[in-house]
Amino acid sequence: MLASYLTLAAILFCVGLYGVLAKRNAVVVLLSIELMLNAANVNLVAFSKYGVVPSLSGHMFALFSIAVGAAEAAVGIAILIALYRARGTVNVDDYDEMRG
C-alpha cells in the first residue's frame, strides 16, 4: 500500500517539476510549486502511517507544511500582482532584470 502513495507523490512531483521548468506563466509556476509541496506532504503522511513506528508526527509536519505553503502562495501572488502592475505581463522571461 505504501508503494501506491509513493507513486502518486512521484507523479505529482514530476508534474510540478515540469511546470516549473517548462512553463513561462508565473501563475502556472506558482501552482507547480504547490504541486511539488503537496507531493512532499503525501510522502510525509504515507511514511507516518506505514513507517516502522506509526505516529502522528508526519501528519503534524504536513499540517505545518500546508500552513507554510499557504503563506508562500499569498506572498507569491502579492509579488506577482505588483510585478504585473509594474510591467503589464506575467511572463517569467520578462522578469530577468531587477530594475523597472
Side-chain angles (χ1 to χ4, degrees), residues 41 44-50 54-66:
N41 288 337
L44 285 171
V45 172
F47 282 123
S48 175
K49 183 176 180 181
Y50 294 108
S55 66
L56 291 177
S57 62
H59 295 77
M60 296 302 140
F61 281 122
L63 283 175
F64 180 73
S65 174
I66 289 170

